[in-house]
C-alpha cells in the first residue's frame, strides 16, 4: 500500500511547513460526507499519532490513519493551478464515481 506526492505537491507542502516553522508532514484521510459518500481530509500534521501509517515521498512525510488507507491506496496527491485557482488534487485509482461538484466520491 502506498500514497505518493507529485513533485509539485511535495514542493508546496515542504515550503508551507518551512513557512509555518513547525510540522512533520501532511495528514491525509477520508470521512463520510457529500452526495457520493466520502470526502478527503487534508491537514498539516505537527506530530504523528501512534496509529498513523507513515509514507515518505520526495522528502515529505505523508501520514494516513489505518481506516482511510484502504480507500486511498495508490493515490497520488498533486498540486495544480487552473487559471486563478490552485489547490491539491487527489488522483485515486479506487474511485468508482464522483459527485458533480467534485467534493465527494465512492469506491
Amino acid at each position: 500500500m502506498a500514497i505518493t506526492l507529485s513533485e509539485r505537491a511535495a514542493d508546496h507542502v515542504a515550503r508551507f511547513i518551512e513557512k509555518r516553522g513547525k510540522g512533520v508532514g501532511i495528514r491525509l484521510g477520508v470521512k463520510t460526507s457529500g452526495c457520493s459518500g466520502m470526502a478527503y481530509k487534508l491537514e498539516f500534521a505537527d506530530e504523528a499519532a501512534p496509529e498513523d501509517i507513515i509514507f515518505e515521498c520526495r522528502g515529505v512525510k505523508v501520514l494516513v490513519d489505518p481506516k482511510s488507507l484502504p480507500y486511498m491506496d495508490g493515490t497520488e496527491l498533486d498540486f495544480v493551478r487552473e487559471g486563478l485557482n490552485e489547490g491539491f488534487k487527489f488522483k485515486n485509482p479506487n474511485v468508482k464515481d464522483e459527485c458533480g461538484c467534485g467534493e465527494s466520491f465512492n469506491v
Side-chain angles (χ1 to χ4, degrees):
M1 296 192 148
I3 308 288
T4 59
L5 302 174
S6 71
E7 188 174 336
R8 286 184 302 245
D11 288 346
H12 183 77
V13 170
R15 280 194 312 268
F16 193 82
I17 289 172
E18 185 178 324
K19 190 184 290 187
R20 284 179 78 218
K22 64 179 181 176
V24 297
I26 191 165
R27 183 181 310 282
L28 303 178
V30 296
K31 62 182 178 179
T32 303
S33 177
C35 49
S36 287
M38 297 182 166
Y40 295 109
K41 297 186 300 185
L42 183 149
E43 62 187 13
F44 290 91
D46 291 334
E47 60 185 42
E51 68 274 6
D52 283 336
I53 299 167
I54 302 172
F55 301 96
E56 187 155 341
C57 184
R58 302 179 193 272
V60 174
K61 289 184 180 175
V62 179
L63 296 79
V64 182
D65 69 89
K67 291 181 183 177
S68 294
L69 188 56
Y71 302 105
M72 299 184 71
D73 184 31
T75 296
E76 179 187 50
L77 183 64
D78 195 7
F79 188 79
V80 297
R81 289 192 172 102
E82 296 171 347
L84 297 175
N85 298 318
E86 65 180 18
F88 289 104
K89 183 173 186 170
F90 290 83
K91 297 178 181 177
N92 186 342
N94 304 302
V95 170
K96 302 270 188 278
D97 192 29
E98 293 180 307
C99 69
C101 64
E103 293 296 318
S104 64
F105 66 97
N106 67 43
V107 293

